[in-house]
Amino acid sequence: LAVLGLGLGLNLQILVLVVQNSFPLRQVGTATAAHNFFRQTGATLGSAVVGSLFAHRLAGLLAGRLPADAAASTGGGNSVAPELVHGLPGPAQAVIVQSYNESLMPLFLLMVPLAALAAVLCLFVAEKPLATSLEPDVLPEAAAEGSVLIAADPAGDPEATTALRGGRG
C-alpha cells in the first residue's frame, strides 16, 4: 500500500501540471476539469470492479470454509465487522482472516501489471518546458495592423469594455 500510495501521489499532481501546461490559457480550466472528471470516473469504476471481485471471492471462500451455523451468525459474509470477528472462537477467526487475505492478494497481484503499464505510459509523456508566465490568447488576425480587439472587463462591467487597436496606431 505504501508503494502504491507513493507512486500515485507522485504522479497525480504532475499529470495535472502536464495538462495545464499543454493547453492555451483560455482552455486550462476546461482541460483541468476534464482531467479531474476522467480521473474520478476511473477511480470510481476501478473501485467498483475491485470491490465487486473482492466481495465475490470473499463470499465464496467464507461459504466454503465456515460451518453453516457460523456462516449464519456472521450474516453470511455480508456483514463481517472486526467486532464480530473478535467475538468468534479462534478457529473461526482464523478462517475469516485467511479468507480475507486470500481474497485480497490476487487483486493486488492483478494491479501490479496495471501499475507497471501506467509507469511505462508515463515515460512517453512529451517533455515540455513549464510555462513561466501567463500570456493572453490573442487571435493572429486580431493582432494584425489596424485591427480592433474588443476586451471586456472580467468583472462584467459593460462600461469598462475597451477597444484595443493592434499595430502602431
Side-chain angles (χ1 to χ4, degrees):
L1 286 176
V3 171
L4 181 65
L6 186 64
L8 283 174
L10 291 175
N11 274 325
L12 290 180
Q13 291 306 315
I14 290 173
L15 292 176
V16 171
L17 282 175
V18 166
V19 167
Q20 291 177 343
N21 199 45
S22 298
F23 285 88
L25 184 61
R26 70 179 178 275
Q27 295 176 345
V28 167
T30 304
T32 304
H35 172 266
N36 288 337
F37 171 75
F38 287 114
R39 182 175 71 190
Q40 290 296 327
T41 302
T44 300
L45 292 176
S47 297
V49 168
V50 169
S52 176
L53 291 172
F54 169 71
H56 179 71
R57 183 162 170 84
L58 178 63
L61 288 172
L62 288 177
R65 293 180 177 172
L66 286 177
D69 59 335
S73 69
T74 62
N78 291 330
S79 61
V80 181
E83 297 82 25
L84 178 70
V85 174
H86 291 302
L88 293 174
Q93 283 183 11
V95 167
I96 291 174
V97 169
Q98 185 180 6
S99 296
Y100 264 85
N101 288 337
E102 290 181 19
S103 298
L104 279 175
M105 187 57 67
L107 295 175
F108 278 107
L109 294 176
L110 175 69
M111 287 186 228
V112 169
L114 295 175
L117 176 65
V120 169
L121 289 175
C122 284
L123 295 175
F124 291 104
V125 173
E127 186 175 343
K128 184 177 176 184
L130 187 61
T132 57
S133 64
L134 296 175
E135 297 181 20
D137 298 325
V138 177
L139 299 174
E141 59 271 6
E145 184 77 26
S147 63
V148 175
L149 174 65
I150 303 298
D153 183 302
D157 183 6
E159 294 183 18
T161 300
T162 59
L164 304 174
R165 183 163 298 277
R168 295 185 187 148

